[in-house]
Amino acid sequence: MYRAVPLLLALTLTVFCQDPADPAALSDAAQEAARANRPAEAEELWKRALKAAPGYFPALFNLGYFHYSRREFEPAVPYLERALRVRATDFNTHYLLGACYQSLERREDALASWRRALGINPRASKLLQIMIVEYGRGRYFTEAAAAATQALELTPDDLNAFLLAIKANQDAGLYPVALEIAQRAVTKYPQSARARFEFGFHLQKVGRIDEALGELKLAGSLDPNYEEPHYFLGETLQQLGRSAEAIPSLQRALAIRTDYTPARLALARALIALKRLPEALSELTEAVRRDPSHPQPHLLLSQVYFRLGDEANARRERETSLRLRRENPTILEAVQGRQFPASPGPRK
């Protein structure tokens, strides 16, 4: 919180008594009341400070922070907006206003506030990491990738910064950039299973399959309870037509995470390719039980039933798959990015 002058309680009360209209004295007294867990008194004193001086920045900021700390985001916003009209270059106010907007699900306003905060302090790496995640949630993938690259430059010894930058560039479709960052990550953190997995994943994306398989195997050995390397190793082998090799990795992924639908589908495809249809049927039935709204298990079930000569069930499963696809048309589509608004203003 902001303090006009660091006064002891006794001195604050003395000044307050001498000049009850002094906003600095009122604001300091409010600080002491807040510290003493007297929130109603603190709020009233800050409001009196603003009545005496409507543009008194410490009272405006502290009232905004007061409501924010009590998760009262709606009433916090006007005080923080007024504070910025008084002191437009205050980093903390822009940051806090953005946090309030975020909590009110006003994503564009939040990001706009944080962009202004970064304009004041471009080295605020923690804020950048928050923004990367929020950009991603809003499907502003290009902006997320740029912010992630900036954050990585500021914190080159932070593994999490590497991982955020890899994921952000991946989401933006910048696979060569993501690969380059992943390669730097494994050079710096050779024992990180996550870094090895990301490197293997992106090697696969650019067609360097043999290298990708080696990295995925290494990632799985570094952390046997990390399901993604096992799944992607099995999925890649299955796509290469090496279904028998794929099965142990896919089974391992499912042993770690039993609700991993993509791994169970890949396992079913491998079993179908090997003509082990009863086993494929069992896996797909389990996939439907665990994820009943997903259309893909039903589509594969239709294929299995058809191969088994059960045309009635094949037709039923195909129709179910089509119905679920209509009900959830985006489930199998890649999430598309969008451009961040040039200058989103606060909502009225």
Side-chain angles (χ1 to χ4, degrees):
M1 289 187 174
Y2 279 85
R3 299 190 63 191
V5 182
L7 298 174
L8 295 175
L9 176 59
L11 182 57
T12 300
L13 293 176
T14 299
V15 174
F16 172 60
C17 292
Q18 289 174 349
D19 187 355
D22 179 8
L26 288 164
S27 187
D28 280 329
Q31 290 272 26
E32 298 299 338
R35 289 195 188 93
N37 198 28
R38 301 195 303 272
E41 180 183 342
E43 182 181 12
E44 178 60 27
L45 286 165
W46 276 314
K47 287 182 175 179
R48 288 174 61 184
L50 289 179
K51 188 174 182 180
Y56 188 60
F57 177 82
L60 289 168
F61 178 88
N62 283 328
L63 271 169
Y65 182 81
F66 170 82
H67 287 293
Y68 170 81
S69 66
R70 294 164 63 88
R71 303 189 63 80
E72 299 166 355
F73 305 115
E74 197 77 52
V77 166
Y79 289 114
L80 296 169
E81 290 177 337
R82 285 172 59 188
L84 286 172
R85 288 196 287 272
V86 176
R87 192 177 297 178
T89 58
D90 187 74
F91 172 87
N92 289 328
T93 309
H94 283 293
Y95 169 76
L96 193 60
L97 180 58
C100 288
Y101 284 147
Q102 180 193 38
S103 297
L104 292 169
E105 299 184 2
R106 294 169 57 175
R107 176 175 289 116
E108 284 72 23
D109 290 336
L111 286 165
S113 290
W114 289 335
R115 285 159 76 109
R116 287 189 284 270
L118 278 178
I120 298 164
N121 180 10
R123 300 190 63 81
S125 59
K126 295 298 184 184
L127 174 56
L128 273 167
Q129 291 188 3
I130 295 170
M131 292 177 69
I132 294 162
V133 175
E134 201 63 25
Y135 274 133
R137 288 174 177 163
R139 296 187 287 115
Y140 302 118
F141 297 137
T142 300
E143 288 79 4
T149 300
Q150 184 180 351
L152 182 57
E153 290 172 356
L154 292 172
T155 55
D157 295 323
D158 182 359
L159 175 59
N160 189 54
F162 276 97
L163 299 177
L164 282 172
I166 293 166
K167 181 65 166 60
N169 281 280
Q170 173 191 323
D171 288 343
L174 303 173
Y175 293 109
V177 178
L179 174 61
E180 185 273 330
I181 297 170
Q183 188 161 19
R184 286 161 52 196
V186 296
T187 300
K188 196 172 187 66
Y189 304 98
Q191 299 303 307
S192 168
R194 175 68 186 276
R196 289 286 178 186
F197 164 72
E198 294 291 355
F199 188 37
F201 178 87
H202 288 91
L203 284 168
Q204 178 205 37
K205 283 292 184 181
V206 299
R208 293 162 60 180
I209 302 300
D210 289 340
E211 295 171 85
L213 293 174
E215 290 295 331
L216 292 170
K217 288 176 183 176
L218 180 54
S221 67
L222 287 170
D223 185 355
N225 294 315
Y226 179 23
E227 73 276 12
E228 281 189 298
H230 300 288
Y231 160 60
F232 277 100
L233 176 59
E235 171 78 350
T236 303
L237 289 168
Q238 192 271 325
Q239 290 176 352
L240 291 171
R242 296 160 61 177
S243 297
E245 293 178 64
I247 286 174
S249 293
L250 295 169
Q251 288 174 331
R252 178 60 188 159
L254 287 166
I256 298 167
R257 180 180 159 193
T258 56
D259 64 344
Y260 203 171
T261 298
R264 202 171 294 278
L265 292 174
L267 176 57
R269 291 189 188 98
L271 292 167
I272 292 170
L274 294 170
K275 299 182 180 180
R276 292 161 58 175
L277 299 182
E279 294 171 77
L281 185 64
S282 176
E283 293 295 341
L284 291 168
T285 301
E286 180 66 9
V288 169
R289 187 184 73 81
R290 291 182 176 276
D291 195 355
S293 65
H294 201 299
Q296 283 300 96
H298 294 281
L299 183 60
L300 289 177
L301 275 170
S302 174
Q303 296 172 14
V304 171
Y305 279 125
F306 183 80
R307 293 188 185 195
L308 290 171
D310 188 343
E311 294 187 13
N313 273 325
R315 188 181 309 109
R316 184 199 69 206
E317 292 295 340
R318 184 172 61 254
E319 291 171 355
T320 301
S321 177
L322 290 171
R323 175 179 59 78
L324 292 173
R325 187 69 175 81
R326 288 193 300 269
E327 291 173 359
N328 191 0
T330 63
I331 192 169
L332 300 178
E333 295 175 1
V335 178
Q336 299 298 309
R338 55 180 179 168
Q339 186 176 1
F340 188 74
S343 33
R347 297 179 185 175
K348 301 299 182 183

